[in-house]
Amino acid sequence: MRHLIDILDLSTAEIDELIAKANDIIEHPDVYSHKCDGKILATLFFEPSTRTRLSFESAMLHLGGEVLGFSEASSSSATKGESVRDTIHTVSCYSDIIAMRHPKEGAPMVAAMRSEVPIINAGDGGHNHPTQTLTDLLTIQREKGRLGSMTVGLCGDLKFGRTVHSLMCAMSRYENVKFVCISPLELKIPDYLRQDVLDPNNIEYVETQDLEEVMPQLDVLYMTRVQRERFFNEADYIRLKDSYILDLKKLRNAKPDLSILHPLPRVNEISIEVDDDPRACYFKQVKNGRFIRMALIMKMLGVE
Ligand code: NCD
């Protein structure tokens, strides 16, 4: 039995296979509509979510399976003091696969140690978010036709943004990828990414505070929300929250084939005037999220 806790739990060959499968699902959805008949997905969300939880549930329903779960910790026995370990032990008696989100970093790993069914990390604190990364990779592959040989700009909250951490880990394994990290000084990428991922793999990266200056170099621009819920004080959040607001003026010097991604939810960091620009891919990303999760659920349940 395998779990998906960290994006690096999957090899690049497996990621490429999942992307190929998702592309096939997009082309031939009917072929997949009964692949998980009789199977149950549990979604245990101890933290808010719109896209991740609903795309997991929609994915399982489109495969013919069923779903159960909770969407806030307050409606589970966590409020009575039950441990993640015991909750997972319980839910793994009622389901075939579990997607969980938790505010504590490492909680899905603890869950995996106790679970009798596969666990998928749907976001753990400011740490990792592997299935958003699969969504991002599918989107980049569909937009660009490749996953290597490109300059990827990551902009916003690179410190607490878990989607950024997982995406950098995954993309570091493809050839000739360069990162441009654009953030306020306080929200730079964590040291462990530099020490454990970028430096050992000789990945080229630069850090800057100036989005417009680097714009012309970028093939992909990954915008992120400042993660209010991870801040220790509200004053810092208010000071930093509008550091970057992408609008059409800032895109003046961007490449004509730039792909603009955002895991969503958006707060202020992309002006809505950008939504109609052909380079905006964030709502395509939303769609892709269901297809890659269908591919992942099948893989983890061993469905051919
Ligand atoms: C992201 C998350 O939860 O980390 N959202 C998502 O899953 N699509 C990004 C965010 O909340 O800012």
Side-chain angles (χ1 to χ4, degrees):
M1 182 176 65
R2 281 183 68 186
H3 306 287
L4 177 61
I5 306 302
D6 187 299
I7 190 67
L8 299 180
D9 294 342
L10 295 168
S11 68
T12 18
E14 286 177 310
I15 289 179
D16 293 344
E17 262 169 46
L18 286 170
I19 290 173
K21 180 69 78 180
N23 280 320
D24 195 61
I25 296 170
I26 293 169
E27 294 294 318
H28 312 285
D30 294 347
V31 173
Y32 294 91
S33 55
H34 292 287
K35 290 284 185 189
C36 289
D37 280 357
K39 299 284 185 196
I40 296 175
L41 164 78
T43 52
L44 310 187
F45 278 62
F46 296 84
E47 240 194 11
S49 168
T50 299
R51 274 149 294 270
T52 304
R53 184 173 62 83
L54 295 180
S55 68
F56 262 116
E57 296 188 356
S58 177
M60 191 49 147
L61 296 171
H62 275 91
L63 291 167
E66 317 251 9
V67 297
L68 52 79
F70 53 80
S71 56
E72 46 188 337
S74 62
S75 64
S76 77
S77 284
T79 43
K80 298 180 184 172
E82 186 170 56
S83 65
V84 165
R85 206 184 133 85
D86 287 357
T87 302
I88 291 296
H89 191 174
T90 304
V91 176
S92 67
C93 301
Y94 305 147
S95 58
D96 301 291
I97 184 165
I98 296 174
M100 76 172 276
R101 168 172 288 186
H102 200 283
K104 281 216 181 91
E105 300 170 1
M109 182 135 64
V110 172
M113 285 153 69
R114 197 63 200 86
S115 182
E116 292 174 19
V117 302
I119 299 283
I120 301 173
N121 177 6
D124 62 326
H127 191 210
N128 282 328
H129 194 342
T131 64
Q132 181 62 47
T133 295
L134 292 173
T135 304
D136 302 338
L137 294 175
L138 173 61
T139 306
I140 294 171
Q141 195 277 336
R142 288 178 67 82
E143 294 303 312
K144 296 273 175 259
R146 63 182 194 279
L147 286 168
S149 300
M150 64 179 74
T151 300
V152 179
L154 302 137
C155 178
D157 187 346
L158 310 187
K159 179 178 181 188
F160 297 117
R162 55 194 173 194
T163 64
V164 168
H165 306 156
S166 296
L167 184 61
M168 289 182 85
C169 287
M171 291 210 74
S172 291
R173 297 197 296 196
Y174 291 89
E175 291 288 311
N176 202 13
V177 170
K178 180 181 166 187
F179 294 115
V180 180
C181 302
I182 308 138
S183 73
L185 292 175
E186 295 93 328
L187 298 179
K188 285 163 72 164
I189 55 166
D191 283 338
Y192 82 84
L193 275 179
R194 268 184 221 105
Q195 285 156 14
D196 302 343
V197 181
L198 300 172
D199 293 342
N201 293 302
N202 290 318
I203 308 291
E204 205 183 321
Y205 71 97
V206 292
E207 297 185 279
T208 175
Q209 290 169 260
D210 191 338
L211 173 59
E212 278 183 88
E213 186 188 62
V214 297
M215 188 69 86
Q217 307 170 26
L218 308 180
D219 298 300
V220 170
L221 172 57
Y222 194 90
M223 295 296 295
T224 62
R225 167 181 76 90
V226 176
Q227 305 280 300
R228 179 182 205 162
E229 63 274 42
R230 319 257 178 248
F231 274 70
F232 293 109
N233 78 67
E234 183 74 2
D236 284 347
Y237 168 71
I238 289 169
R239 183 168 53 81
L240 294 168
K241 72 183 173 72
D242 291 328
S243 300
Y244 301 97
I245 300 177
L246 184 67
D247 56 19
L248 291 176
K249 193 165 148 263
K250 295 205 179 81
L251 282 167
R252 252 186 339 215
N253 295 322
K255 288 188 181 174
D257 65 346
L258 171 72
S259 300
I260 305 165
L261 275 69
H262 190 310
L264 303 181
R266 141 176 74 183
V267 185
N268 268 336
E269 54 288 343
I270 304 182
S271 157
I272 55 166
E273 67 182 19
V274 177
D275 296 3
D276 295 326
D277 190 289
R279 292 169 289 192
C281 297
Y282 29 95
F283 287 104
K284 291 189 199 167
Q285 239 173 314
V286 171
K287 265 198 174 166
N288 291 335
R290 169 161 74 81
F291 301 118
I292 198 81
R293 288 183 175 96
M294 288 172 76
L296 179 67
I297 289 169
M298 285 196 297
K299 178 179 172 64
M300 294 188 71
L301 288 176
V303 173
E304 281 306 312

